[in-house]
Amino acid sequence: MELSKSYEAADSESKWYAQWLEHKLFSSQPDDREPFTIVIPPPNVTGELHVGHVLNNTIQDIFIRKARMQGKNACWVPGTDHASIATEARVTAHLKSLGIEKADLSREEFLAHAFAWKEKYGGIILSQLKMMGASCDWDRVNFTMDEHYYKGVIKSFVELYDKGYIYRGTKLINWDPQALTALSDEEVYFKEVNSKLYYVNYLLKDNQNEFLTVATTRPETIFGDTALCVNPEDERYKHLIGKSAYVPIINRQIPIISDDYIEIGFGTGVLKVTPAHDKNDYALGEKHKLRSINILNPNGTLNSEGKHYSGKDRFIVRKEIAKELESLGMLNKTEDIQNSNGYSERTHVVVEQRLSPQWFCDMKKMAGPALEAVDNGSIRLHPAKFANTYRHWMENIRDWCISRQLTWGQQIPAWYLADGQIVVAETAEVALEKAKRLNNNSTISIDDLRRDPDVLDTWFSSWLWPIEVFEGISNPGNADINYYYPTQVLVTAPEIIFFWVARMIMSGYEFLQEKPFEDVYFTGIVRDELGRKYSKSLGNSPDILKLMEKYGADSLRFGILIAAPAGSDTLFKESLCDQGRHFINKIWNALKLIKMWEDGGKIAETGDSAQVEPIRWFENTFQKKLEEIERFYADFNLSEVLTNIYSLIWDDFCGSYLEMIKPYNEDKIAVSTYQATIRFFEELLKLLHPFMPFITEEIWHQLKDRAEIDFCTIAHYPVYSGYDEPYLRESEKITDLIAKVRTMRNEGGISPKVPFKLYIQAENSQPYRDWEKQIRQLINITEVEYNGYNEGNFRRLIIKGDEVIIPFEEEIDVESEIRTLNEELEYTRGFLESVNKKLSNERFVQNAKSEILEKERQKKSDAEEKIKAIEDSLKRLN
């Protein structure tokens, strides 16, 4: 295979992805191996790839590729969510552009259009995931409106209804006036907005020269007022409790009630109670048996209760009613304030609270096992801080409003009889049989049943995702669900910990009596370099496809992961992709160098023991880094995993090892050294492959001839086998020496071509002797004298407690040398003090991992040795 001058990302990506698919490397079927399963958080079928998807799916791909290379039966299930509100809006808008009104279509006709639209536009994001390198099992694509999935959702509804967990009731719910549907509490987000506070006067019945003043941000809701409420201990209003007042404009008589819910010092101390449009007011209304008056139409306009404002939008009425109240002398004053408003998570319009008959699921009945699973560590959350958030929500869980007034989705399997009776069943035929038994009447026909037109909340289908992608409900006990469930890792965003994560855990225990996954990895929010969340409204979202075109998928994956700590926000900027591209160039140049040795006849036929130390050093360095990498994997800290791999390749392999073995002048590389180098390169490619699959697969095949099915993506992942820590500590003297001599040359403007002689003062000079050939080559040393001393001009370096002297012809500024050594001594003493503080902290010593403690103790020892060497040098200079 001819090696190109530079790596061509586009050609490599299309070539290797096609090869992976052709050889079915991502496909999985149950067998005798250990399964490793991930289910993709299903993106909306309407979606396209954005920076959050890149982060989330790259992380999943890393886990699944590593597991595959470790010999596990890796199965990453892809799929999409039908996204009822968003998709219905898109399809409705599309039909409108064709001159078709949704209202003119039957349910079946609209669904036919929706499925046609999905087939045409619904696979975009999955194809974009392939461009990213996602190694999903594409034979297992699921869609939440697939036939089996639909069946599973309906079956689960019936089962929960029969247990008494699902019920129908009239409650105050969140209402989206644009989507014209109910929302659950979790689908409403709050934000601070600029508002006005209106102080409205309510005249008293017995003395119309007196009034009570109420402060409200929503004067349009006065048409739904059914009481005024004060605190029973408020001396200002005690004498009015039990009396009546008049609602402004409409002059409806309402009672003045008392309740300690009202805070005496808040506002005017008087609350207008509107039970049909506020949750707290609704609770007061229930307690005091007040009437509930709905004043709003579904689209947010006022209904006939709004009198002359009927048909007008709620926000227009707010402005107009303020003017009317002022003209009637009933508006005391207004104030500019900031307050928190609830918005629809889907349409981003202000949500209304509205009394409505809906279907609810009693979540308290299912919360116990799900809470215990996280508390006892059966399910682990990463970072662990999210366990507190999860626990708080589960302990305060509320009933879930699961019905939606839409067409696109799983239609609720409930049928109504003429007298209002409800039968719930998986099919109309079964519902008919139930209705006959319920009424002891065999003459009831299908025509006597009316199916509920509503559909289920999208989350009611996605909470079954880890189960039903394997048909665990629609086809219980099948081979797939028995083998792949529970899954291993879920990667998701913390903002849907309640929407999805908690509910999946509840459904897992409810339907299969087993957790759905073992670990949950929470990603952070991806922000720009100014710290702003990427969003279309800000116009700061990067074009992912253009970034991939410009830098390649691997560079994009590198850029998003190098700065993505678990659970913390990621500051992503394009320059990180450029850093990824430079990294690829570094690896490619290493390949070219090694191939050049092979093609240029630089490989000797006989062995050469001079390269034994670099090989031994890199083997130990690799194993030490591998131990750290595996520890970071175990902690779900992928950013640190990548940082360590990056350093191992860039610094240790390319910057040090290849330089150490590079042939000089007429030298050649021993066959054993060359073979070791190929082996090292392969191990490094395996480590990097989960993060950057395309470049690693390309170099894997360029490095040497391969069999047809010898792919990096299924190569055996490196196995930790231990390392010689004392040897590495001694070897650090060599790398430290080389680095410091090079720095000294740079700072002094001394050419690398100028040769030096070294005097090394060391209790143990063996490491320097073992590495002498590399020292001579890498920093141009003519001679090394051990434990000798030069009386002329010299520069002094402290190397891990040893002293290295470099003689110079020019005069040396002794005062400058002393000043430099004193500065280094002061710094090292300060460093030692900080280490000693850590080691004297009982809490740190008790809680720190053993390897962390060992590192701190080694830092202490190294610093003490260095201080002694500097002090000895200062004595000689003085």
Side-chain angles (χ1 to χ4, degrees):
M1 199 179 290
E2 186 178 348
L3 190 63
S4 59
K5 183 178 179 181
S6 60
Y7 174 66
E8 301 294 337
D11 292 343
S12 178
E13 289 165 10
S14 59
K15 173 179 65 180
W16 292 119
Y17 205 87
Q19 288 277 313
W20 294 333
L21 293 182
E22 181 184 338
H23 288 86
K24 296 282 187 182
L25 300 186
F26 306 153
S27 297
S28 173
Q29 292 297 327
D31 58 26
D32 58 357
R33 289 176 294 167
E34 176 188 349
F36 187 92
T37 315
I38 293 178
V39 293
I40 202 169
N44 287 355
V45 72
T46 59
E48 294 185 16
L49 204 62
H50 59 62
V51 69
H53 290 134
V54 173
L55 174 62
N56 188 291
N57 288 283
T58 298
I59 290 169
Q60 291 175 80
D61 200 31
I62 290 166
F63 286 130
I64 210 75
R65 284 183 180 273
K66 180 172 186 275
R68 188 180 292 119
M69 296 173 76
Q70 289 175 316
K72 298 174 184 177
N73 191 344
C75 180
W76 183 12
V77 181
T80 51
D81 185 277
H82 65 277
S84 53
I85 295 176
T87 305
E88 184 149 329
R90 295 279 288 271
V91 174
T92 301
H94 172 68
L95 290 173
K96 198 175 186 70
S97 71
L98 300 175
I100 302 171
E101 293 294 332
K102 179 192 171 189
D104 296 334
L105 300 175
S106 67
R107 183 184 203 95
E108 291 69 26
E109 289 170 335
F110 179 81
L111 288 175
H113 283 290
F115 274 108
W117 188 92
K118 176 260 178 186
E119 288 303 313
K120 186 173 182 180
Y121 300 105
I124 292 174
I125 194 165
L126 297 183
S127 64
Q128 291 172 340
L129 288 175
K130 293 177 182 178
M131 294 169 63
M132 264 185 57
S135 59
C136 301
D137 184 344
W138 297 108
D139 295 328
R140 291 184 174 273
V141 177
N142 272 258
F143 176 50
T144 51
M145 288 282 280
D146 284 343
E147 184 177 353
H148 79 87
Y149 209 107
Y150 197 111
K151 179 182 175 183
V153 172
I154 298 302
K155 185 176 179 181
S156 70
F157 181 100
V158 174
E159 183 176 326
L160 292 177
Y161 179 83
D162 289 344
K163 284 184 175 181
Y165 290 9
I166 286 178
Y167 63 94
R168 184 167 174 81
T170 299
K171 292 187 177 185
L172 201 69
I173 50 92
N174 301 298
W175 183 262
D176 184 326
Q178 180 171 310
L180 301 179
T181 182
L183 302 172
S184 67
D185 290 339
E186 292 73 38
E187 289 172 295
V188 178
Y189 68 94
F190 292 85
K191 66 178 180 179
E192 291 291 317
V193 294
N194 294 322
S195 297
K196 286 190 179 295
L197 190 61
Y198 302 85
Y199 289 79
V200 182
N201 295 335
Y202 287 65
L203 296 176
L204 299 178
K205 177 190 175 187
D206 295 335
N207 186 350
Q208 294 195 23
N209 293 321
E210 290 185 33
F211 52 81
L212 287 179
T213 302
V214 175
T216 178
T217 57
R218 305 171 69 205
E220 71 278 9
T221 63
I222 64 174
F223 300 114
D225 291 349
T226 54
L228 295 180
C229 191
V230 299
N231 189 289
E233 301 303 318
D234 194 331
E235 294 295 338
R236 296 171 294 176
Y237 307 124
K238 267 187 176 182
H239 66 289
L240 296 176
I241 297 170
K243 298 185 181 297
S244 299
Y246 292 106
V247 177
I249 299 177
I250 56 174
N251 294 320
R252 179 193 301 128
Q253 184 178 318
I254 57 175
I256 300 170
I257 63 174
S258 65
D259 196 288
D260 56 14
Y261 165 76
I262 308 300
E263 295 180 33
I264 294 176
F266 184 76
T268 65
V270 184
L271 176 76
K272 63 190 273 313
V273 186
T274 317
H277 296 286
D278 181 271
K279 285 188 177 178
N280 295 320
D281 290 9
Y282 180 75
L284 277 173
E286 291 276 283
K287 181 177 179 181
H288 294 276
K289 297 181 171 52
L290 299 175
R291 180 184 172 201
S292 290
I293 302 173
N294 175 33
I295 66 162
L296 290 174
N297 292 314
N299 65 356
T301 59
L302 268 68
N303 61 24
S304 59
E305 293 288 348
K307 307 303 179 184
H308 48 290
Y309 293 107
S310 176
K312 289 189 175 182
D313 181 78
R314 54 193 165 145
F315 297 120
I316 292 174
V317 174
R318 182 174 301 175
K319 293 178 181 178
E320 292 184 357
I321 202 170
K323 292 178 181 178
E324 183 175 1
L325 288 168
E326 187 175 20
S327 69
L328 295 172
M330 294 179 180
L331 185 62
N332 191 307
K333 63 177 179 177
T334 62
E335 288 179 0
D336 291 326
I337 63 165
Q338 274 201 332
N339 69 326
S340 182
N341 272 0
Y343 287 80
S344 167
E345 192 262 345
R346 293 299 182 194
T347 62
H348 308 291
V349 300
V350 176
V351 167
E352 287 293 341
Q353 291 177 352
R354 187 167 181 258
L355 204 58
S356 176
Q358 300 287 340
W359 288 90
F360 296 89
C361 186
D362 185 346
M363 304 304 285
K364 291 183 285 295
K365 296 180 184 293
M366 291 181 274
L371 177 56
E372 184 183 357
V374 172
D375 279 347
N376 66 20
S378 178
I379 296 174
R380 299 174 291 270
L381 308 185
H382 309 275
K385 66 181 181 182
F386 287 110
N388 291 330
T389 308
Y390 177 87
R391 184 179 304 109
H392 175 77
W393 188 77
M394 294 296 285
E395 289 175 345
N396 296 278
I397 199 165
R398 292 173 289 196
D399 288 2
W400 175 12
C401 177
I402 58 174
S403 48
R404 298 292 180 266
Q405 288 63 55
L406 300 165
T407 307
W408 178 242
Q410 291 94 0
Q411 190 175 359
I412 289 174
W415 282 262
Y416 300 91
L417 279 73
D419 60 1
Q421 289 186 93
I422 300 174
V423 287
V424 171
E426 292 181 45
T427 65
E429 290 72 23
V430 176
L432 178 60
E433 292 305 313
K434 282 189 173 183
K436 288 179 179 179
R437 289 197 300 271
L438 183 66
N439 292 276
N440 195 24
N441 183 351
S442 60
T443 64
I444 297 174
S445 70
I446 284 284
D447 294 336
D448 295 319
L449 301 179
R450 180 181 62 85
R451 186 167 183 178
D452 194 311
D454 292 351
V455 299
L456 287 159
D457 178 13
T458 300
W459 296 105
F460 195 85
S461 57
S462 57
W463 79 324
L464 304 176
W465 188 249
I467 303 174
E468 192 50 39
V469 294
F470 301 115
E471 301 186 20
I473 291 179
S474 60
N475 181 21
N478 70 77
D480 279 359
I481 193 68
N482 290 341
Y483 180 75
Y484 292 113
Y485 189 94
T487 67
Q488 273 59 58
V489 182
L490 175 75
V491 181
T492 189
E495 57 261 32
I496 57 173
I497 189 172
F498 313 129
F499 283 120
W500 195 43
V501 179
R503 289 171 179 166
M504 280 191 290
I505 296 173
M506 284 186 273
S507 72
Y509 283 107
E510 178 62 32
F511 296 111
L512 295 186
Q513 294 74 55
E514 176 63 279
K515 61 189 176 186
F517 29 70
E518 295 175 356
D519 293 277
V520 183
Y521 179 110
F522 289 110
T523 63
I525 296 170
V526 187
R527 300 183 183 276
D528 64 18
E529 50 195 309
L530 299 177
R532 301 174 303 174
K533 184 178 179 180
Y534 281 114
S535 69
K536 289 181 180 179
S537 59
L538 285 176
N540 64 341
S541 293
D543 187 320
I544 296 303
L545 298 184
K546 285 186 178 178
L547 286 178
M548 281 199 281
E549 183 180 347
K550 182 176 181 181
Y551 297 101
D554 283 332
S555 295
L556 174 63
R557 289 166 66 116
F558 175 95
I560 197 74
L561 253 296
I562 197 68
S568 298
D569 291 351
T570 298
L571 295 180
F572 175 74
K573 50 189 176 181
E574 188 172 330
S575 60
L576 293 172
C577 297
D578 201 36
Q579 184 183 350
R581 181 165 59 183
H582 285 305
F583 185 36
I584 286 174
N585 289 339
K586 187 77 170 179
I587 305 169
W588 192 256
N589 286 335
L591 171 68
K592 290 199 294 184
L593 177 64
I594 292 169
K595 298 296 286 185
M596 185 176 67
W597 295 340
E598 181 184 353
D599 298 339
K602 287 287 186 180
I603 302 173
E605 295 180 4
T606 58
D608 180 2
S609 61
Q611 304 301 347
V612 168
E613 288 307 316
I615 291 172
R616 182 184 176 194
W617 171 79
F618 191 78
E619 283 175 339
N620 280 277
T621 298
F622 180 89
Q623 286 296 324
K624 183 176 183 179
K625 279 283 176 69
L626 180 58
E627 181 190 41
E628 293 177 2
I629 286 166
E630 288 306 297
R631 187 168 66 249
F632 284 124
Y633 262 125
D635 291 340
F636 286 75
N637 194 338
L638 297 189
S639 178
E640 283 298 328
V641 172
L642 180 56
T643 299
N644 273 269
I645 296 173
Y646 179 83
S647 171
L648 181 60
I649 294 174
W650 188 293
D651 299 324
D652 299 320
F653 184 70
C654 297
S656 296
Y657 174 77
L658 291 181
E659 287 293 317
M660 292 173 185
I661 66 166
K662 184 189 294 182
Y664 284 80
N665 301 321
E666 299 302 316
D667 288 352
K668 290 189 176 184
I669 298 175
V671 171
S672 59
T673 301
Y674 180 78
Q675 291 172 341
T677 303
I678 296 296
R679 176 168 52 86
F680 292 154
F681 208 165
E682 287 179 330
E683 293 298 287
L684 292 170
L685 294 174
K686 293 175 189 177
L687 276 186
L688 183 60
H689 179 79
F691 290 84
M692 305 174 79
F694 294 112
I695 180 64
T696 50
E697 192 70 81
E698 181 70 37
I699 292 180
W700 182 263
H701 289 268
Q702 294 280 4
L703 201 53
K704 68 181 187 184
D705 292 336
R706 303 280 178 187
E708 184 182 357
I709 56 169
D710 184 358
F711 288 91
C712 187
T713 197
I714 53 173
H716 294 299
Y717 194 80
V719 177
Y720 174 69
S721 59
Y723 61 94
D724 187 340
E725 177 65 32
Y727 171 77
L728 280 180
R729 280 205 302 271
E730 290 297 307
S731 299
E732 283 177 11
K733 294 180 178 181
I734 311 305
T735 53
D736 196 18
L737 170 63
I738 292 167
K740 286 189 173 180
V741 171
R742 285 174 171 172
T743 299
M744 186 201 68
R745 284 183 182 274
N746 290 335
E747 291 176 350
I750 304 167
S751 170
K753 294 180 180 180
V754 176
F756 290 153
K757 177 179 179 178
L758 292 186
Y759 294 87
I760 297 177
Q761 306 281 344
E763 289 185 14
N764 178 18
S765 62
Q766 193 57 47
Y768 300 102
R769 296 179 190 275
D770 291 340
W771 285 87
E772 192 169 312
K773 179 176 180 180
Q774 284 75 32
I775 293 171
R776 288 171 179 267
Q777 286 184 172
L778 293 172
I779 51 177
N780 197 3
I781 300 302
T782 56
E783 185 181 347
V784 180
E785 185 174 323
Y786 297 97
N787 298 319
Y789 188 70
N790 181 273
E791 296 293 341
N793 295 324
F794 58 85
R795 293 283 170 87
R796 178 180 282 101
L797 301 174
I798 305 300
I799 307 295
K800 304 290 183 184
D802 298 336
E803 186 178 33
V804 175
I805 295 169
I806 304 171
F808 281 90
E809 293 181 4
E810 71 269 20
E811 193 70 30
I812 297 298
D813 185 344
V814 176
E815 289 186 5
S816 175
E817 287 288 308
I818 291 174
R819 189 163 55 250
T820 300
L821 285 170
N822 275 321
E823 288 173 357
E824 194 168 357
L825 180 63
E826 183 180 357
Y827 169 80
T828 309
R829 282 173 173 166
F831 176 77
L832 178 60
E833 183 181 353
S834 68
V835 174
N836 282 332
K837 280 183 180 177
K838 274 189 182 179
L839 292 173
S840 62
N841 184 327
E842 289 185 16
R843 187 173 177 182
F844 170 77
V845 172
Q846 289 172 359
N847 296 327
K849 294 181 179 179
S850 59
E851 60 267 21
I852 301 294
L853 276 178
E854 184 56 37
K855 278 190 176 182
E856 293 301 318
R857 289 172 181 141
Q858 187 59 51
K859 287 178 186 177
K860 173 182 168 72
S861 176
D862 291 346
E864 288 171 342
E865 286 183 12
K866 187 173 182 179
I867 288 170
K868 182 180 182 304
I870 295 172
E871 289 174 340
D872 290 344
S873 296
L874 285 169
K875 285 177 186 175
R876 281 195 288 271
L877 286 170
N878 289 321

